[in-house]
Amino acid sequence: MNKAVAGFSKLSKEEKINWIASAYFSNPENAILLLKKYWNSDEKLQKLHDEFIENTISNFYIPLGVAPNFLINDKYYTIPMAIEESSVVAAASKSAKFWASRGGFKTTIINTEKIGQVHFLYKGDVSKLELFFAQTKAKFLSETESITKNMKQRGGGILNITLEDKTQLLDHYFQLHATFETIDSMGANFINSCLEQFAKILKTEAQVYELFTEEEKNIEVVMSILSNYVPNCIVRAEVSCPVEELAEKHIPNPEVFAQRFVQAVQIAEVEPFRAVTHNKGIMNGIDAVILATGNDFRAVEAGVHAYAAKSGKYSSLSHAKIENGIFSFWLEVPLALGTVGGLTSLHPLVKLSLEMLENPSAKELMKIVAVAGLAQNFAALRSLTTTGIQDGHMKMHLNNILNQLEATTEERDAVQKHFKNHVVSHSGVVNFIEDIRKK
Ligand code: MEV
């Protein structure tokens, strides 16, 4: 069968599914049944989801869990987390409980500036371009007023525009580099609209600028787009307590624990192979909240990792120290988030998640998300430097294997009993169940 298809987007959902089923599946009926099994019986709700993207054929579930008992700046939160990886929500909850009895998490918004750029080519005298920019700058602001009016009323808008000479990097390459405050919205639409307007103004004003030669008048705009690198949109989250207060069941010697914990962080600070995994653990917490609250996790991921490499070498996002008997652990991350606009008012579970967080402002959400990242990192490092990660992981993994094998309650009990004293492995559990079933 020819697996190329023309006009696919114009087919109805039913037709799309039929085509896919017959093109790719040995049992087309089963494929269709499975896809439809995941449709929501509430047609209105299904239509809403269908229309989020294009060529929708079904829904793809990711569990929504909650991590309660997060004490952040003296207020308790239950944090919604959408994530498919086992252990993450459990780890967050454990960290939350641990730190709630040790003063909780403290957070600070360092700044909230967003960035966008008009990338263009100019072939000519740079000093004339600089003069042109200085004389036209006010127009960039006044002629975007219809776009910025509402944002200004909410306290945001365009903060500044500068001309950047990038010709050292690429021939004829210049930028309009603009900074924005977008209050409670992530601001992508607002920023991109402003930038496209800047690009128009740039081109039309250059055409009539008397000092430019004909060639200089022909400014070529390559593209106008926000940057997901937001190194001036930073939140800090931290925990601290006297070293001896770190003691608990799995931490019989808090001094040794604190030292090893700090060493683990120092390793991630100097060793990129470890830093990537260390930061991945932080992103387990961050992404889960980002997803549950309808924010763009790809944007956040891209920006966070760029920030982790800002020194020129990829490094840990979190840091730890012991000073005068006090253990401190903190991270600073760039988070451009929104609690209005986008998916936040469209996706019913996003709305629910935001309500669970008591409808936070974007700044409050930045704090909550950063705390989820720090909590996750704390839980991972605590396991890694004490019992090892597999202990907890395999307990959760065991449950997934049992679900896969559709184990009965009796089988589950027998497995739990047996694997208390044996190392859990996928094949070990499968063999054990097979043996029971044979008997
Ligand atoms: C697993 O998803 C995350 C960890 O690997 C993070 C870490 O190693 O710090 C446990």
Side-chain angles (χ1 to χ4, degrees):
M1 181 182 174
N2 179 4
K3 291 185 182 172
V5 57
F8 185 75
S9 66
K10 307 239 159 46
L11 300 181
S12 71
K13 187 167 152 190
E14 199 86 34
E15 287 167 337
K16 282 177 188 143
I17 289 177
N18 289 342
W19 181 81
I20 290 163
S22 58
Y24 291 103
F25 295 89
S26 53
N27 188 335
E29 275 78 40
N30 272 359
I32 293 172
L33 268 177
L34 185 62
L35 286 170
K36 291 192 174 174
K37 203 169 168 177
Y38 280 84
W39 287 7
N40 200 293
S41 56
D42 177 339
E43 278 179 28
K44 217 170 127 202
L45 192 64
Q46 185 53 56
K47 192 163 177 290
L48 179 78
H49 286 270
D50 285 353
E51 289 174 1
F52 285 156
I53 60 163
E54 308 75 35
N55 293 342
T56 314
I57 55 172
S58 192
N59 305 305
F60 192 93
Y61 291 174
I62 286 187
L64 176 66
V66 291
N69 299 318
F70 266 98
L71 184 61
I72 306 174
N73 302 332
D74 302 321
K75 179 177 165 184
Y76 274 102
Y77 293 85
T78 296
I79 301 187
M81 303 177 85
I83 186 157
E84 86 301 343
E85 184 177 332
S86 54
S87 301
V88 170
V89 176
S93 307
K94 258 196 195 164
S95 270
K97 210 165 156 206
F98 183 93
W99 284 106
S101 58
R102 291 164 177 84
F105 294 83
K106 302 283 179 242
T107 62
T108 322
I109 299 289
I110 309 231
N111 39 30
T112 56
E113 179 192 277
K114 316 276 167 66
I115 292 167
Q117 297 164 322
V118 178
H119 306 269
F120 67 94
L121 303 178
Y122 166 80
K123 293 176 189 158
D125 182 341
V126 176
S127 60
K128 274 202 259 173
L129 181 66
E130 281 165 353
L131 195 62
F132 163 77
F133 176 72
Q135 289 170 357
T136 322
K137 189 170 173 180
K139 271 205 171 147
F140 288 114
L141 300 176
S142 62
E143 292 188 12
T144 41
E145 259 168 13
S146 61
I147 305 169
T148 56
K149 198 167 155 243
N150 283 346
M151 190 59 88
K152 273 190 189 159
Q153 271 167 9
R154 287 191 267 140
I158 301 162
L159 299 176
N160 197 14
I161 315 175
T162 55
L163 172 72
E164 304 288 329
D165 182 345
K166 297 279 170 179
T167 52
Q168 298 284 345
L169 303 173
L170 201 62
D171 284 349
H172 316 303
Y173 173 32
F174 292 85
Q175 293 171 352
L176 291 183
H177 182 96
T179 50
F180 302 85
E181 170 55 58
T182 59
I183 310 292
D184 285 332
S185 65
M186 189 262 193
N189 276 332
F190 169 74
I191 294 172
N192 289 333
S193 299
C194 288
L195 294 172
E196 290 190 1
Q197 184 68 6
F198 293 161
K200 266 191 211 151
I201 300 165
L202 179 69
K203 280 197 322 201
T204 46
E205 291 301 318
Q207 282 296 332
V208 295
Y209 191 61
E210 284 164 3
L211 297 182
F212 279 161
T213 63
E214 281 312 304
E215 192 182 25
E216 287 167 340
K217 281 181 180 170
N218 285 323
I219 281 180
E220 196 183 318
V221 172
V222 180
M223 58 192 161
S224 311
I225 187 74
L226 94 168
S227 172
N228 289 125
Y229 185 40
V230 282
N232 294 323
C233 187
I234 303 288
V235 54
R236 178 185 166 101
E238 58 196 296
V239 285
S240 68
C241 72
V243 170
E244 65 270 17
E245 284 180 17
L246 291 167
E248 58 148 34
K249 196 170 137 215
H250 291 297
I251 309 175
N253 189 332
E255 280 79 22
V256 171
F257 167 76
Q259 271 162 21
R260 187 166 293 171
F261 191 101
V262 171
Q263 266 156 8
V265 175
Q266 284 169 346
I267 289 170
E269 284 170 342
V270 299
E271 161 57 47
F273 280 95
R274 174 55 202 152
V276 171
T277 319
H278 177 98
N279 290 347
K280 188 274 183 188
I282 294 174
M283 299 315 287
N284 277 345
I286 290 187
D287 280 341
V289 191
I290 297 277
L291 211 53
T293 57
N295 277 277
D296 181 343
F297 66 91
R298 287 86 54 208
V300 169
E301 281 278 346
V304 165
H305 294 297
Y307 188 74
K310 68 181 186 306
S311 70
K313 182 176 169 188
Y314 192 90
S315 178
S316 168
L317 291 161
S318 64
H319 308 280
K321 66 176 181 193
I322 304 164
E323 225 170 63
N324 304 325
I326 304 287
F327 168 82
S328 315
F329 179 46
W330 70 99
L331 64 68
E332 284 181 11
V333 271
L335 291 172
L337 304 182
T339 52
V340 298
L343 216 56
T344 55
S345 54
L346 286 177
H347 196 304
L349 284 177
V350 166
K351 271 206 250 176
L352 180 137
S353 296
L354 287 169
E355 199 175 331
M356 197 188 301
L357 293 173
E358 298 177 61
N359 293 318
S361 65
K363 280 185 183 168
E364 279 164 339
L365 186 60
M366 283 169 79
K367 295 175 182 177
I368 295 164
V369 169
V371 163
L374 189 70
Q376 210 58 46
N377 196 207
F378 179 77
L381 293 180
R382 181 167 75 161
S383 296
L384 287 168
T385 56
T386 55
T387 57
I389 207 78
Q390 285 311 88
D391 188 42
H393 263 197
M394 289 321 278
K395 273 187 202 133
M396 299 295 281
H397 190 44
L398 185 60
N399 201 37
N400 285 343
I401 303 170
L402 291 174
N403 287 342
Q404 247 173 31
L405 297 173
E406 296 181 10
T408 63
T409 315
E410 291 77 42
E411 288 170 345
R412 280 170 193 270
D413 288 347
V415 165
Q416 297 291 2
K417 219 171 176 184
H418 177 81
F419 282 96
K420 249 192 190 136
N421 307 315
H422 293 85
V423 176
V424 178
S425 72
H426 191 276
S427 57
V429 179
V430 173
N431 291 341
F432 185 79
I433 293 269
E434 276 172 0
D435 282 348
I436 301 181
R437 287 180 182 171
K438 268 186 220 146
K439 281 175 201 161

